[in-house]
Amino acid sequence: MKKQLTSLFLATLSLSALAQNRVTVNADQGKTVISRHIYGHFAEHLGRCIYDGFYVGEGNTRIPNKNGVRLDVVEALKKMKIPNLRWPGGCFADTYHWKDGIGPKAKRPKIVNTWWGGVTEDNSFGTHDFLNMCELLGTEPYLAGNVGSGTVQDLSDWVQYVNFPSNSPMSNLRQQNGRQAPWNVRYWGVGNEAWGCGGNMTADYYANIYRQYATFMEPKVGDEKIFRIASGASSNDFNWTETLMKNIPGKMVEGVALHHYSTFGWGPNEKGSATEFTETDYAHTMNEALKMDAFVQKHSEIMDKYDPQKKIALVVDEWGAWYEVEPGTNPGFLYQQNTMRDAVLAGATLNIFHKYAERVRMANLAQAINVLQAVILTKGEKLLLTPTYHVLEMYNVHQDATMLPVDVKSEDYTVGNYKLPAVSVSASRDKAGKTHISVVNIDAGKPQEITVNLKGMKASGVTGRILTSAKVQDHNTFDNPAKVKPVAFTGARLNGDNLTVTLPPVSVVVLEL
Ligand code: AHR
């Protein structure tokens, strides 16, 4: 027995001597809840996201649907626990006139989708279709209002149409169109990318415009207090956030947005392939993605100056990777494949959002289906779940759980000119008392061993799931839709207050203690 104990001790000692990654999970310091809304998604009238993605039309007899909404999509998104869905854009939102999308479908006007491919938009998917679909998905809608080419009256009417119970011009119109009870939509965007496609405004000008629009979205309508989200900065445009926070009274805004995409450049053909890339390209994408930490930190610091009590949320309502479109597809449709690179990017980004959970209370991955870093791709009757989908599904255990702060001392992962942390970690405790630790090995070259000190908790066992694949370029295809999928993880050993985890290269693991 003594001999056995000695060899166990030596084995443990040699493992911890090897482990250069050291993590402390401060289980005794949890106080902030990770809002489930940071797991939100985005559905724009862009390419095949709405049409062919969510919606295949009421008359479709080939693809099982309810009121035209694909049932396989509903099943997958419910399993992933989608908490909110942003619609109808993006850039499209500032061209969208919601009254075009209500009433009998045959009578709805057609418009041109000027931002995305110049295709004809027949408005067959409008307000009722979207809000009823959200009910089917069990998700909260987030409506993005048109500020760029709309009017204050239009947006004010939309709020009334959607949220006013009865006996008003707009609620009567809604009831005439078949919906009795209001939907009580809580989340409202006041324009999108006002500095760009939303009107090319200056920050000062937009702050004033915002105040005007927001005034007429008050008072609260129906039972719900409206949560108004100001169009926010791009990546490191800190002046935008500063100007908004300085000029918009705190009582007029509930959220300020931020957009950050990981890309190689915005010029023609600069974005690189989604599936054919080198390890240096991978490191570049991850370097861009990890900038989210500094961006969120800096935008939060600015918000802290004007809102020390953190009443206003930072809403990262567009994030993800942006590559060149798949060869042979419409360049205006932004259809891209999704590999293990994207899974690692998603895991590391969500870990960053957890870290700043006090301020980041909502986020939306761009976009849900067939566009940019999608969780679902469709082709006719076929549907596949991307590696990113699996990360969001595995991570949903963190939704509304209490964030446990982590201290991470990571090895470096060096490729070319890039030096990145090899591992990314976050942790939370759910309402049932289970602790979940999410660990990402960003390193594409070698496994990483992590020693985790569980401070202030007693764990009796550990289980887990892992998403990984032989190559970082691996992805699911319609012919091989389950090449990348989560499996049980057996690389964690619990020893008292310490946990040793060995992760293969490019892997995402969620542990349950
Ligand atoms: O998600 C695609 C586009 O990216 C959105 O329409 C816009 O807001 C952003 O520039």
Side-chain angles (χ1 to χ4, degrees), residues 132-370:
N132 292 341
M133 180 176 89
C134 287
E135 288 184 343
L136 195 60
L137 289 166
T139 197
E140 273 200 60
Y142 166 11
L143 293 175
N146 178 348
V147 168
S149 72
T151 63
V152 176
Q153 182 73 57
D154 279 344
L155 185 49
S156 164
D157 280 354
W158 204 13
V159 180
Q160 291 280 322
Y161 186 88
V162 164
N163 283 358
F164 201 82
S166 64
N167 274 332
S168 76
M170 286 301 116
S171 60
N172 291 346
L173 183 59
R174 180 191 72 233
Q175 291 178 342
Q176 220 174 292
N177 286 329
R179 171 75 185 201
Q180 289 305 305
W183 286 280
N184 287 329
V185 173
R186 186 154 56 128
Y187 295 112
W188 292 84
V190 182
N192 169 73
E193 297 194 350
W195 40 264
C197 64
N200 285 305
M201 302 174 194
T202 63
D204 280 306
Y205 182 76
Y206 172 72
N208 281 334
I209 290 273
Y210 174 90
R211 291 162 62 130
Q212 187 186 2
Y213 274 78
T215 301
F216 298 97
M217 295 166 78
E218 284 192 286
K220 79 177 184 183
V221 181
D223 299 335
E224 293 287 322
K225 185 179 185 310
I226 285 183
F227 192 105
R228 295 156 299 180
I229 299 164
S231 167
S234 173
S235 303
N236 60 351
D237 183 357
F238 304 115
N239 176 57
W240 186 273
T241 302
E242 180 94 43
T243 307
L244 262 47
M245 291 302 294
K246 199 188 320 174
N247 293 306
I248 301 174
K251 63 178 186 340
M252 293 191 76
V253 60
E254 285 69 39
V256 170
L258 169 67
H259 290 180
H260 176 56
Y261 286 101
S262 304
T263 187
F264 285 78
W266 294 106
N269 304 318
E270 266 182 22
K271 299 187 195 73
S273 161
T275 52
E276 287 169 26
F277 54 90
T278 63
E279 191 176 342
T280 312
D281 295 336
Y282 162 67
H284 173 91
T285 305
M286 287 310 300
N287 189 48
E288 289 303 303
L290 295 172
K291 286 180 182 171
M292 183 70 90
D293 192 316
F295 294 162
V296 167
Q297 186 185 12
K298 191 79 195 290
H299 286 288
S300 301
E301 275 168 20
I302 293 166
M303 293 175 81
D304 285 349
K305 275 204 290 180
Y306 300 93
D307 172 34
Q309 291 177 305
K310 299 192 186 336
K311 288 187 180 157
I312 302 169
L314 182 60
V315 176
V316 191
D317 56 11
E318 289 186 31
W319 67 273
W322 192 321
Y323 311 114
E324 292 299 328
V325 298
E326 283 303 293
T329 65
N330 186 329
F333 282 12
L334 309 187
Y335 175 78
Q336 68 190 37
Q337 250 295 358
N338 191 295
T339 66
M340 270 309 296
R341 165 170 66 175
D342 301 289
V344 170
L345 186 157
T349 304
L350 291 165
N351 286 345
I352 294 169
F353 293 159
H354 293 171
K355 176 173 164 191
Y356 296 101
E358 251 190 301
R359 185 62 87 176
V360 180
R361 300 200 287 274
M362 188 167 183
N364 301 77
L365 176 60
Q367 299 195 6
I369 310 182
N370 294 331

Side-chain angles (χ1 to χ4, degrees), residues 364-387:
N364 301 77
L365 176 60
Q367 299 195 6
I369 310 182
N370 294 331
V371 170
L372 298 178
Q373 192 174 342
V375 289
I376 291 175
L377 301 178
T378 65
K379 185 180 178 190
E381 289 108 302
K382 292 185 178 174
L383 167 147
L384 70 79
L385 307 175
T386 65

